[in-house]
Amino acid sequence: MIAVVSIAGLLLFLWPFLGLGLTPEAPAMSVTLAAVVSLAIMEAGARRLDAGRLALLAALAAIDAALRLAMVNGVAGFSPIFFLVLAAGYEFGPSYGFLVGAFSLLVSAVVTGGVGPWLPYETFAVGWVGLASGVAGSVVRRIRPARRSWLPSRLDIGVLAVVAIVTGYAYGALTDVYGWVAFYRGVENVGWQPGLPAAETLAQFGRYYVLTSVVWDSFRAFGDAAAVLAFGTPVLMALGRLRARLGYEIVAAPEQT
């Protein structure tokens, strides 16, 4: 399900770079379609969670909504909502990380009044932050020496800090696509222009991102990493214990004599 949602999201982000010469109505149509598809499939994904994981998803989304309400714009580009998404994805895996990110953003957008055509872009981008963190966590658990699964190591914290930096910039670049298409259409050298070859369109966007966003996104990327270094160990430990309690193992029935 997450794969299907991500494909819809990729189309939402990639169509401006394909040189299709689409009409001005195309952004609104793509946003509406992506929002309907993603909401339907994310609801189906949430229905497949057991009661414990569903309750935890609701709690994390509510905490993030409260954090975003307290700091609507964060400090420069930094916002505290990304830390819990990163931590939950790292401990519970890619699919759950995507759901935590997407639902946290949706709930916080409703609470803060941030609902608009930009919301599907933000929802997918934060969902992919949790997904990337979950992939990193899964890889680390496969390669590190066997140990108590809920106890984070220095490797866990280091990897999660690197993921925080990478996804901090990636989130900014992804969400910039909406503003670039909606508000910078036709601006010479940096704005989106329908029908340009893909390479030139990408170059236009690169210039736009460097000029308007890279400094802002640096506050987010390194702010998220600082939050991981400061609070990652206790939060990952708590989530790891929850993961152990919410998990289960299949025990073979004893042989009949």
Side-chain angles (χ1 to χ4, degrees), residues 14-130:
L14 290 178
W15 73 262
F17 300 94
L18 301 180
L20 301 177
L22 298 176
T23 63
E25 290 76 21
M29 294 171 60
S30 62
V31 166
T32 302
L33 178 60
V36 171
V37 172
S38 61
L39 285 174
I41 298 180
M42 282 190 292
E43 180 185 6
R47 287 177 180 270
R48 299 180 63 181
L49 298 176
D50 58 42
R53 284 177 172 80
L54 185 59
L56 179 60
L57 174 62
L60 291 173
I63 293 171
D64 264 349
L67 289 172
R68 197 177 187 193
L69 184 62
M71 300 177 64
V72 175
N73 293 319
V75 179
F78 170 73
S79 174
I81 70 168
F82 294 96
F83 171 65
L84 282 180
V85 175
L86 288 162
Y90 194 86
E91 281 296 334
F92 285 89
S95 296
Y96 196 80
F98 182 92
L99 290 174
V100 171
F103 278 109
S104 294
L105 200 288
L106 288 172
V107 172
S108 64
V110 172
V111 170
T112 60
V115 178
W118 55 84
L119 185 57
Y121 291 87
E122 294 180 345
T123 301
F124 278 115
V126 180
W128 287 335
V129 169

Side-chain angles (χ1 to χ4, degrees), residues 132-230:
S133 177
V135 170
S138 299
V139 171
V140 170
R141 277 189 288 273
R142 290 179 181 177
I143 64 174
R144 71 182 179 186
R147 59 190 300 160
R148 298 182 69 175
S149 61
W150 51 263
L151 184 63
S153 64
R154 292 182 179 179
L155 176 62
D156 293 309
I157 300 302
V159 169
L160 191 56
V162 172
V163 173
I165 294 173
V166 173
T167 56
Y169 284 107
Y171 172 85
L174 288 170
T175 52
D176 272 356
V177 172
Y178 168 77
W180 180 58
V181 172
F183 305 117
Y184 285 80
R185 185 194 310 272
V187 177
E188 188 176 358
N189 292 325
V190 296
W192 179 68
Q193 298 182 29
L196 283 182
E200 179 59 26
T201 302
L202 188 60
Q204 296 269 90
F205 179 74
R207 288 190 289 268
Y208 165 80
Y209 178 75
V210 170
L211 290 172
T212 64
S213 302
V214 69
V215 174
W216 182 270
D217 290 347
S218 296
F219 282 97
R220 177 189 304 108
F222 289 95
D224 292 345
V228 169
L229 295 176

